[in-house]
Amino acid sequence: MKKVLFIMLLFCFSAKLYAQTRTVRGTVTDQETGMKLLGVSVKVKNTNAGTLTNDKGEFLINVPTSATTLEFSYLGYASNSVNITNKESITVSLTSDTKNLSEVIITTAYGTSKRKDFVGASVQIGAKDIADRPVANVINALQGVASGVTLAGGNGQPGSAPSIRIRGFGSINSSNDPLYVVDGAPYDYAINNLNQDDIESITIAKDASSTALYGSRAANGVVFITTKKGKAGAPSVNVKYTTGLTSRGIENYDRVTVDQYYPIVWEAVRNGAYFAGTKTFAQSGIDAANNIITTLGYNAYNVPNNQLVSPTTGALNPNAQLLYPDDLDWWKGLMRTGVRQEISTSISNATEKSDYLFSAAYLKEEGSLVNTGLKRYNTRLNLNSKPTTFLSTGMNLSYTFSDYQNNGSADDAGTAYANPFNFVTGMGPIYPQYAHNPTTGAYVLDPITGEKVYDSGALGTKYGITFPNRPAGGSSGRHVLAETLYNITDQERHLISARTYAQVDFLKDFNFRVNLAYDHNTREVLQLSK
């Protein structure tokens, strides 16, 4: 009887859960032609639930029982909302929105084009999309916005640029980077020199048409960047301040703990001795237990070296207690939660014959790795004038000062000792960051400064104490935390960019335009040591 009652309750509960949602299916077509529309966005109003139509214009979506409206949107068509109360199947028609297509301007090799007249493969993001992403390098704002465009993360240094690949790799030995064009002129410097609040739009040209003007330089695609101009109306003054935190995006994977490390090493030493064929299995276990500290160099526990692990099972001595349990996490000393602060201001306006924009910005971002950061100052002046009906001219001046601080040990240092990520990942969990008394576990302090002494694994006899040594595989004589804190690379960059143009319009649809560009970059690298 109890079993039957339980099954009935479970069935009722399941039925209740099932009743919380229902299924709505339908078809979406073009109202004028009746053509089935592929890729139409179907979304439940006021929720995140949504789907897309298939190649037959059909969709199937699970909606909450309380849902009353579905929203349909598609590029080039006016959005539509449909009531789905007590409906399981619907047919939706969308009306072409030619006005919307005419207002979308695409940057091309020879100027600009309306979306409805553009036949190439491209994608564009505007100032609003960029503003929603607080990034030090504006290229990071392209992440996930375009098919066929892949961004691989940089080295973690604030302001570092990701590698961008358009339609895959074009060469094995040569560069696969696209050509950057800023305000109509090729740009060969770091994109992180640009203030994201100065950018009106970014267009990625993905097909062969990108080579129309720039030739083989555009073989890997072109990224067009257009900066803002003044707009008609009352003078516009904008001030923006943002702040946030930076930290490691992905947590470190699980690693062997200090309690697990000694038994694992014991097993490896025992098996090595036994399979060498010189000792019995039991004798190999005894020798491994007696010599485990000789192998590893450090005993992190308060028991004698030959009593640390069982000679028969390798299990850790149950009476063993760590001497310095709070000093075995090397990541704790290297990583931090950085602070990001950005302030920008601009003033702009436009009349029938001229427009202007002046902007200034300051960015300070601390990296998640200690001793890494970026300070950047930007100014820009954009002036345009149309003195006659057929002549227009303008200039765009900008200055950027960037101060990069790093320890010269970013992840592109590979497997070198200077790479903190590689060093810490390979460091055994029994080795401390600071020197300790081998008997009591107390921190050893420098008699002059009173500060903790870094344990390089090769201190020898010092301060009246004989310290253990890390074996060769333990990076003896090196200490990545001390090297990261003491060795600082300060890189200062000054970039002056100037763009000017003159354009003459003649006949009805023709114009002649001359662009002049000048970029001057200086860099000073300072190696500092404490």
Side-chain angles (χ1 to χ4, degrees):
M1 182 64 183
K2 290 182 178 180
K3 184 175 181 180
V4 173
L5 180 61
F6 175 76
I7 293 174
M8 292 178 64
L9 289 173
L10 182 62
F11 175 78
C12 292
F13 180 70
S14 301
K16 183 179 180 180
L17 287 178
Y18 181 77
Q20 289 179 347
T21 63
R22 61 190 181 93
T23 300
V24 176
R25 68 181 71 241
T27 305
V28 183
T29 62
D30 184 302
Q31 186 174 25
E32 296 180 2
T33 66
M35 180 180 65
K36 307 294 176 61
L37 298 179
L38 164 67
V40 177
S41 173
V42 184
K43 183 180 178 182
V44 181
K45 187 176 182 179
N46 297 326
T47 73
N48 293 324
T51 187
L52 298 174
T53 58
N54 61 19
D55 57 350
K56 297 180 181 179
E58 301 171 344
F59 68 91
L60 180 68
I61 185 172
N62 291 322
V63 303
T65 53
S66 59
T68 60
T69 305
L70 287 181
E71 297 176 330
F72 298 83
S73 60
Y74 194 53
L75 181 63
Y77 289 81
S79 299
N80 193 5
S81 297
V82 177
N83 188 290
I84 56 171
T85 304
N86 299 325
K87 296 179 181 179
E88 295 183 355
S89 179
I90 58 176
T91 299
V92 182
S93 298
L94 298 183
T95 304
S96 177
D97 187 2
T98 56
K99 179 182 177 181
N100 184 39
L101 285 178
S102 298
E103 292 176 349
V104 178
I105 302 298
I106 298 297
T107 304
T108 65
Y110 287 101
T112 59
S113 174
K114 293 181 179 180
R115 168 65 81 177
K116 67 183 182 66
D117 299 324
F118 184 71
V119 296
S122 71
V123 65
Q124 183 180 68
I125 63 172
K128 185 179 183 303
D129 301 312
I130 299 171
D132 291 338
R133 300 191 177 193
V135 292
N137 192 313
V138 70
I139 294 302
N140 286 302
L142 298 175
Q143 184 72 51
V145 302
S147 61
V149 179
T150 303
L151 271 71
N155 58 23
Q157 167 73 27
S160 63
S163 61
I164 178 171
R165 299 290 177 262
I166 300 174
R167 298 296 189 194
F169 292 82
S171 174
I172 297 176
N173 299 317
S174 300
S175 173
N176 287 283
D177 294 331
L179 173 66
Y180 293 97
V181 177
V182 177
D183 289 327
Y187 187 83
D188 296 324
Y189 300 98
I191 297 299
N192 61 9
N193 287 311
L194 301 177
N195 172 24
Q196 67 176 39
D197 292 323
D198 286 346
I199 295 177
E200 180 67 29
S201 67
I202 301 177
T203 302
I204 302 176
K206 301 186 291 183
D207 60 3
S209 64
S210 61
T211 64
L213 182 61
Y214 303 108
S216 61
R217 299 180 64 186
N220 297 314
V222 181
V223 178
F224 296 99
I225 299 177
T226 304
T227 57
K228 294 179 179 178
K229 298 180 179 180
K231 296 182 179 180
S236 174
V237 178
N238 296 294
V239 178
K240 184 183 79 171
Y241 174 77
T242 60
T243 186
L245 303 176
T246 60
S247 60
R248 183 173 178 175
I250 301 176
E251 292 295 327
N252 196 23
Y253 49 77
D254 293 335
R255 305 177 66 221
V256 172
T257 65
V258 60
D259 292 340
Q260 298 169 331
Y261 193 75
Y262 286 108
I264 290 175
V265 172
W266 170 86
E267 185 176 8
V269 174
R270 181 203 62 181
N271 292 345
Y274 173 71
F275 288 109
T278 58
K279 299 177 182 179
T280 64
F281 197 71
Q283 186 59 47
S284 297
I286 294 173
D287 289 348
N290 290 334
N291 298 313
I292 190 169
I293 302 305
T294 302
T295 302
L296 297 175
Y298 278 63
N299 183 355
Y301 291 91
N302 62 344
V303 296
N305 295 348
N306 59 356
Q307 298 179 22
L308 184 59
V309 296
S310 167
T312 55
T313 65
L316 193 67
N317 188 330
N319 298 318
Q321 295 183 352
L322 284 171
L323 293 172
Y324 32 84
D326 58 343
D327 191 31
L328 296 173
D329 185 2
W330 288 68
W331 288 108
K332 184 178 180 181
L334 281 171
M335 307 304 290
R336 67 178 177 183
T337 299
V339 178
R340 185 184 192 277
Q341 300 179 78
E342 182 179 15
I343 183 169
S344 63
T345 181
S346 67
I347 179 171
S348 62
N349 194 18
T351 64
E352 183 179 349
K353 292 189 175 183
S354 65
D355 64 77
Y356 70 88
L357 178 143
F358 174 78
S359 68
Y362 168 73
L363 168 67
K364 179 181 179 182
E365 182 173 330
E366 297 175 340
S368 56
L369 178 68
V370 295
N371 270 2
T372 59
L374 167 65
K375 292 181 182 179
R376 188 182 68 199
Y377 302 83
N378 294 88
T379 60
R380 180 176 296 276
L381 177 63
N382 194 342
L383 300 174
N384 297 277
S385 177
K386 191 175 179 64
T388 69
T389 57
F390 63 88
L391 175 65
S392 58
T393 184
M395 68 174 185
N396 194 335
L397 306 176
S398 67
Y399 168 73
T400 301
F401 170 74
S402 302
D403 183 4
Y404 299 86
Q405 185 185 72
N406 63 64
N407 45 44
S409 55
D411 64 359
D412 50 8
T415 58
Y417 283 116
N419 183 343
F421 303 101
N422 178 70
F423 187 102
V424 173
T425 301
M427 180 59 65
I430 66 172
Y431 302 112
Q433 301 175 72
Y434 297 97
H436 295 265
N437 186 303
T439 304
T440 65
Y443 284 100
V444 175
L445 305 180
D446 187 293
I448 299 177
T449 64
E451 297 179 349
K452 298 176 183 177
V453 176
Y454 288 109
D455 187 356
S456 66
L459 290 177
T461 300
K462 201 171 184 180
Y463 313 116
I465 301 174
T466 299
F467 295 96
N469 293 326
R470 294 201 298 260
S475 303
S476 179
R478 302 300 296 264
H479 197 291
V480 71
L481 178 57
E483 295 174 24
T484 299
L485 294 175
Y486 291 159
N487 301 323
I488 302 172
T489 300
D490 194 74
Q491 183 179 149
E492 297 182 353
R493 291 181 180 177
H494 300 263
L495 176 64
I496 299 174
S497 291
R499 304 283 189 273
T500 185
Y501 73 93
Q503 178 173 307
V504 177
D505 300 319
F506 59 96
L507 300 179
K508 181 181 179 181
D509 296 312
F510 293 86
N511 63 66
F512 176 79
R513 181 183 178 105
V514 176
N515 287 316
L516 297 177
Y518 173 77
D519 295 310
H520 180 71
N521 180 67
T522 61
R523 185 179 70 166
E524 182 179 6
V525 179
L526 303 175
Q527 299 288 346
L528 308 176
S529 297
K530 294 183 179 180

